[in-house]
Amino acid sequence: MTIRAVFLAHTATPSGAELATLRLASALRAERLAEVATIYTEDGPMVERTRARGIDTHVVRGAFDSRAMTIGSGPLRLLAGAVALLRLGWTLGAHPTVGQADVLVAESTKALVMGAVAARRAGIPLVWQVHDRIAADYFGRPTALVIGMLGRVVAQGFLANSRTTSATLRTGRRPAEIAYPGVELGPLPPRATQRDPEETVVAVLGRLAPWKGQDVLLRAVAATRIRPRRVLLIGGAFFDEEPYAAELDRLAAYLGVPVTRTGHVDDPRPYLCDADILVHCSVLPEPFGQVVVEGMHAGCAVIASGPGGPDEIVHAGVDGLLVPGGDEAALTAALDSLIADPDLRTRLAAAGRGRAADFDVAVTARSVAAFLGRIVQRRDAAHV
């Protein structure tokens, strides 16, 4: 039996989690592993992207503002946001697409709150697709505790994007699966060989946010023995993080680092194929780090920050380099070693392309389909 899965998203803004879910849903559909639908609770770029993939896509709006429950929100704002989520969840539970589904997959913490009500009203199991470490250093201790307990109470299964993320979950005895955010290993734009040291191009891919550490990269680049010709900051600022983007502009000017800031781009592959080195520089442990895999697939020599998901991707010294997150001196040393040695860059990039193939989204889709099938079977067995 082919299961019918509905993915629930609280935002239609293209960020890492939303794009990973889109790739997964597309692979499930393309491989005929599941009948897939997606519900967004706001309009935005992801709606048209999802429809363009041929996925049954709906927008169910409510009074909820996706920015109402960001980290650092006051208690009144959090309470108002939670009430709006619960009300919207009740509405979602009566939506025909949810009513016809076998399983509801909540692809964020906010979607989990809505999904708890929606799945209960529709009488179907709820799976939490976890893209964030549910940890105090990211959410704060009280919020992490509340989120963790909520997941344990309302979710019938967990899809974690890495072992690092899974280790932060309170699953009890409920099923959990590691489902790495797969990449689509399609054709790439042509790329040149690794450049000479003075011509090196360094890129960092991801939304501009303090915990992503783009400021750490700029200071590390400023201390290199041979400065790269250009630094690409690929990504936009979302969720009230525009002031950080302006801060990066000022810092680059002050340090004299030659920065090109692209803003949000729908397809980063041309930029990655123009870069010699891809740096992942998060200062907090990354839940997974799909940009690391994207950089590997594009043929970049990769430097990634640990601990966290990148430790599960990179074999240090074989297909990339690892540095401690937030350690500017270590990042400068890694950059110095790669900038000065095009042959080392070439060797790491070649091995990285092979490693990226281990994260093909089709592999992830097969494991997710099997997991969702088991969740549905458990529900059916309990109702016999």
Side-chain angles (χ1 to χ4, degrees):
M1 179 188 74
T2 302
I3 63 168
R4 295 165 295 181
V6 174
F7 288 84
L8 176 61
H10 80 276
T11 179
T13 299
S15 191
E18 288 68 42
L19 294 171
T21 300
L22 175 58
R23 293 194 298 269
L24 172 60
S26 298
L28 287 169
R29 179 179 180 273
E31 300 288 327
R32 298 183 179 180
L33 297 167
E35 295 179 15
V36 178
T38 299
I39 297 180
Y40 294 97
T41 59
E42 64 177 20
D43 206 349
M46 290 301 301
V47 174
E48 288 308 312
R49 283 197 187 191
T50 306
R51 286 177 176 155
R53 298 287 188 106
I55 296 169
D56 183 25
T57 306
H58 305 267
V59 178
V60 180
R61 296 180 180 86
F64 171 67
D65 178 353
S66 66
R67 296 168 295 181
M69 299 176 71
T70 55
I71 298 170
S73 298
L76 291 179
R77 193 176 183 187
L78 288 171
L79 179 60
V83 170
L85 285 174
L86 294 171
R87 287 176 175 169
L88 185 51
W90 182 254
T91 300
L92 289 165
H95 193 279
T97 301
V98 176
Q100 296 164 10
D102 297 308
V103 60
L104 181 63
V105 182
E107 68 99 349
S108 69
T109 303
K110 294 165 190 172
L112 177 69
V113 178
M114 294 184 285
V117 179
R120 182 148 184 108
R121 186 176 187 186
I124 59 175
L126 175 67
V127 169
W128 184 16
Q129 185 183 19
V130 194
H131 297 278
D132 296 316
R133 294 166 49 255
I134 311 304
D137 60 1
Y138 183 68
F139 286 101
R141 190 173 300 279
T143 303
L145 179 62
V146 169
I147 293 172
M149 291 305 298
L150 175 67
R152 179 169 183 169
V153 170
V154 304
Q156 280 73 57
F158 302 81
L159 288 169
N161 66 352
S162 67
R163 294 192 300 272
T164 296
T165 295
S166 182
T168 68
L169 300 179
R170 297 170 178 264
T171 62
R173 296 185 177 182
R174 294 183 175 175
E177 181 85 359
I178 307 301
Y180 289 120
V183 295
E184 295 171 329
L185 302 176
L188 291 167
R191 68 171 299 133
T193 57
Q194 290 283 332
R195 297 176 175 90
D196 292 335
E198 295 79 5
E199 298 298 315
T200 303
V201 175
V202 174
V204 58
L205 171 62
R207 91 173 196 250
L208 305 182
W211 80 275
K212 292 291 188 178
Q214 287 92 350
D215 59 309
V216 175
L217 171 67
L218 296 183
R219 287 189 290 269
V221 167
T224 53
R225 290 192 296 269
I226 302 173
R227 284 204 181 182
R229 179 171 61 84
R230 188 159 46 112
V231 175
L232 298 174
L233 299 186
I234 310 167
F238 303 113
F239 312 121
D240 299 323
E241 288 161 347
E242 290 83 359
Y244 179 66
E247 178 186 329
L248 292 174
D249 290 338
R250 291 190 293 269
L251 181 61
Y254 172 75
L255 296 172
V257 175
V259 168
T260 298
R261 190 154 66 81
T262 69
H264 172 74
V265 295
D266 287 338
D267 184 2
R269 290 176 298 177
Y271 292 99
L272 293 177
C273 288
D274 187 45
D276 301 288
I277 301 169
L278 184 282
V279 178
H280 163 275
C281 46
S282 296
V283 299
L284 295 177
E286 187 81 45
F288 175 64
Q290 55 191 306
V291 299
V292 175
V293 180
E294 292 178 65
M296 287 176 160
H297 177 53
C300 299
V302 168
I303 302 171
S305 298
D311 283 350
E312 301 175 40
I313 303 170
V314 176
H315 302 112
V318 176
D319 45 36
L321 301 181
L322 287 170
V323 297
D327 190 331
E328 292 175 21
L331 181 52
T332 296
L335 285 166
D336 279 337
S337 66
L338 290 187
I339 292 172
D341 192 343
D343 291 337
L344 175 59
R345 282 185 258 136
T346 299
R347 177 172 62 79
L348 293 178
R353 270 190 162 163
R355 177 59 173 156
D358 294 336
F359 298 95
D360 187 338
V361 69
V363 176
T364 299
R366 287 192 287 271
S367 67
V368 168
F371 179 77
L372 295 179
R374 292 195 297 273
I375 295 296
V376 173
Q377 288 173 359
R378 283 167 59 96
R379 186 276 311 268
D380 293 344
H383 289 171
V384 171

